[in-house]
């Protein structure tokens, strides 16, 4: 079972055709992962649905990640946030 | 002879030494309740819990009790995500039906008694049980306008995310009821499938999943949290409702049945001398 941050990042980038995936994990515990995903696939979707997309992408890996946090933005939202 | 009886009791709890032996045991004991104690020789609480198990084994001969040294059989420990000792797993029909983390003797006794007495299992009963579980989960998620399924309790959260969730709800004065998913393994696993949501904490409003901590944090940031979740009535409102509840309201220490300092007042109100 591959659980490296790099593997997870790449999988999300691929499956969600993401513009940007960033590993923002704070405490480097081997079983925690915190990520920012920016994807056009999130357009028009409420938060719950966005998070479900991410959960589905990492369905195999999630049971083995003890602490998982995610933030989901559309490309527009991300552009606005970076301007702040 | 006391020593002999003690030895016999301890011998009643078989030791499982390998993954193969464990699989074999699950098949053999499918018809009855099997309780497995994941233990370690360096943990004193395990020795105590072994004694509790031995006692239960004497009282309930139809239940099978075994112990397994968690570090000695890692494949089994990892398969069931044993993260600490003692941990108890309950099996019926080779299926895991419950779990207890920690050395809680009364809780172990309760669970053993509950599962031992709940009828025999037939294959068709599994479908019936799934329906029951879904009904149970539906009731639970609707148990209050706002329900939080968390690890631990709001007073004693047992996980950082659950703790943060409670803090946010309190900060925004949101009225909610909570359920400790550590108290019920069936709900813990069942709810994940019911809502297709793999983690805890989980917040529900009117029986609908709103999301986990991440979503609640984003709702807080976008100021939507207050519109989605019900607020706890302010103290003034609560007092207004209470004081208007009956034509005569007595605010006292304790209740009518347990007379405390207001003992003198009650007989007068009740028309006694």
């Amino acid at each position: 079972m591959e659980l490296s941050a790099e593997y997870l990042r790449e999988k999300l980038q691929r499956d969600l055709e993401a513009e940007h995936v960033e590993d923002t994990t704070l405490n480097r515990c081997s079983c925690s992962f915190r990520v920012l995903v920016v994807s056009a696939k999130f357009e028009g979707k409420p938060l719950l649905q966005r998070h479900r997309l991410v959960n589905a992408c990492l369905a195999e890996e999630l049971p083995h990640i003890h602490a998982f946090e995610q933030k989901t933005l559309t490309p527009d939202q991300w552009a606005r946030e970076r301007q702040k | 002879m006391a020593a002999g009886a003690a030895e016999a009791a301890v011998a009643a709890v078989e030791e499982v030494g390998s993954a193969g032996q464990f699989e074999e045991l699950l098949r053999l004991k499918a018809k009855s309740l099997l309780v497995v104690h994941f233990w370690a020789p360096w943990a004193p609480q395990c020795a105590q819990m072994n004694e509790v198990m031995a006692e239960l084994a004497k009282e309930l001969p139809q239940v099978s009790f075994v112990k397994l040294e968690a570090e000695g059989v890692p494949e089994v420990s990892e398969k069931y995500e044993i993260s600490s000792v003692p941990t108890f797993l309950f099996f019926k029909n080779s299926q895991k039906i419950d779990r207890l983390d920690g050395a809680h003797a009364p809780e172990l006794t309760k669970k053993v008694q509950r599962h031992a007495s709940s009828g025999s299992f037939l294959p068709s009963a599994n479908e019936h049980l799934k329906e029951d579980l879904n009904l149970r989960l539906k009731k639970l998620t609707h148990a209050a306008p706002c329900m939080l399924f968390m690890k631990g309790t709001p007073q004693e959260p047992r996980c950082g995310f659950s703790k943060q969730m409670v803090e946010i709800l309190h900060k925004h004065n949101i009225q909610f009821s909570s359920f400790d998913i550590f108290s019920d393994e069936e709900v813990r696993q069942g709810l994940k499938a019911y809502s297709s949501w793999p983690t805890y904490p989980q917040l529900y409003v009117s029986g609908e999943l709103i999301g986990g901590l991440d979503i609640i944090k984003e709702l807080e940031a976008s100021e939507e949290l207050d519109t989605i979740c019900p607020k706890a009535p302010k103290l003034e409102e609560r007092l207004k409702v209470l004081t208007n509840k009956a034509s005569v309201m007595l605010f006292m220490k304790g209740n009518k049945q347990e007379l405390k300092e207001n003992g003198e007042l009650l007989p007068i109100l009740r028309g006694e001398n």
Side-chain angles (χ1 to χ4, degrees):
Chain A
M1 171 70 49
E2 175 87 52
L3 279 180
S4 69
E6 193 49 37
Y7 172 79
L8 296 171
R9 222 188 47 75
E10 279 176 10
K11 193 172 191 197
L12 285 167
Q13 186 124 39
R14 235 183 13 249
D15 292 2
L16 296 175
E17 293 167 35
E19 197 175 286
H20 179 76
V21 180
E22 197 179 318
D23 175 2
T24 58
T25 310
L26 298 169
N27 303 320
R28 185 44 70 187
C29 148
S30 62
C31 50
S32 72
F33 188 59
R34 183 165 173 252
V35 70
L36 164 66
V37 186
V38 181
S39 166
K41 286 198 163 177
F42 295 147
E43 305 265 5
K45 293 202 168 66
L47 281 178
L48 191 66
Q49 266 189 57
R50 299 185 189 188
H51 286 227
R52 282 199 194 283
L53 278 178
V54 173
N55 289 349
C57 171
L58 298 179
E60 260 184 62
E61 293 82 2
L62 271 182
H64 300 273
I65 302 176
H66 180 69
F68 178 66
E69 291 175 85
Q70 55 169 299
K71 187 160 178 172
T72 51
L73 297 174
T74 61
D76 281 341
Q77 287 175 323
W78 189 46
R80 263 177 278 147
E81 258 204 33
R82 280 191 298 174
Q83 276 166 18
K84 285 189 199 155
Chain B
M1 280 174 273
E7 271 169 37
V10 168
V13 182
E14 200 184 309
E15 178 80 40
V16 176
S18 72
Q21 197 186 346
F22 186 71
E23 298 299 314
E24 178 75 28
L25 200 65
L26 277 182
R27 263 200 329 268
L28 273 175
K29 304 288 179 179
K31 291 271 163 63
S32 55
L33 172 65
L34 172 67
V35 183
V36 185
H37 175 194
F38 287 79
W39 72 293
W42 42 259
Q45 315 95 293
C46 290
Q48 288 164 14
M49 292 310 280
N50 274 331
E51 283 177 30
V52 175
M53 279 223 304
E55 275 306 307
L56 287 170
K58 268 193 286 176
E59 275 174 39
L60 301 161
Q62 74 274 33
V63 179
S64 303
F65 291 89
V66 297
K67 54 182 167 39
L68 189 149
E69 237 192 274
E71 290 167 336
V73 194
E75 323 96 275
V76 180
S77 305
E78 274 170 34
K79 179 173 180 191
Y80 295 101
E81 296 181 322
I82 307 296
S83 54
S84 64
V85 289
T87 295
F88 299 86
L89 295 187
F90 298 76
F91 293 87
K92 245 183 183 172
N93 250 11
S94 309
Q95 303 258 22
K96 182 178 70 127
I97 56 164
D98 206 350
R99 174 181 178 134
L100 172 63
D101 295 66
H104 301 292
E107 193 60 33
L108 178 65
T109 306
K110 223 180 4 168
K111 282 184 189 269
V112 173
Q113 284 169 347
R114 191 205 317 164
H115 293 301
S117 60
S118 65
S120 55
F121 273 46
L122 301 162
S124 57
N126 274 331
E127 282 310 310
H128 183 57
L129 284 164
K130 240 195 273 178
E131 245 180 67
D132 284 345
L133 177 59
N134 277 335
L135 198 61
R136 189 174 167 218
L137 293 174
K138 190 161 181 207
K139 278 203 201 145
L140 268 176
T141 51
H142 284 84
C146 184
M147 272 299 286
L148 174 65
F149 291 82
M150 64 180 285
K151 296 185 175 182
T153 63
Q155 296 75 31
E156 278 184 52
R158 281 168 65 185
C159 139
F161 293 167
S162 287
K163 180 163 188 258
Q164 285 181 56
M165 174 78 94
V166 170
E167 279 167 5
I168 295 178
L169 294 175
H170 281 156
K171 189 160 77 171
H172 290 263
N173 201 32
I174 287 165
Q175 178 126 46
F176 68 99
S177 293
S178 72
F179 185 94
D180 179 0
I181 50 110
F182 279 156
S183 71
D184 194 317
E185 187 67 11
E186 205 181 44
V187 173
R188 180 181 182 175
Q189 301 307 332
L191 197 59
K192 286 196 220 176
Y194 178 89
S195 298
S196 303
W197 193 262
T199 53
Y200 290 104
Q202 292 184 14
L203 188 70
Y204 291 76
V205 171
S206 303
E208 221 182 278
L209 176 67
I210 302 300
L213 180 62
D214 292 331
I215 292 184
I216 271 45
K217 275 186 177 168
E218 297 207 48
L219 291 174
E220 187 188 23
S222 66
E223 294 181 5
E224 290 171 273
L225 195 60
D226 296 331
T227 40
I228 293 177
C229 297
K231 295 282 208 174
K234 292 209 192 75
L235 182 59
E236 220 178 279
E237 187 60 41
R238 285 178 70 197
L239 289 176
K240 201 168 168 194
V241 169
L242 278 173
T243 50
N244 282 296
K245 233 175 159 183
S247 45
V248 179
M249 281 295 290
L250 172 64
F251 288 79
M252 60 183 284
K253 296 184 182 183
N255 55 42
K256 274 196 283 200
Q257 287 73 41
E258 306 165 13
L259 289 181
K260 294 204 170 155
E261 280 134 81
N262 296 269
E264 289 174 22
L265 187 55
L266 276 181
I268 297 173
L269 286 177
R270 284 206 294 257
E272 293 163 12
N273 278 334

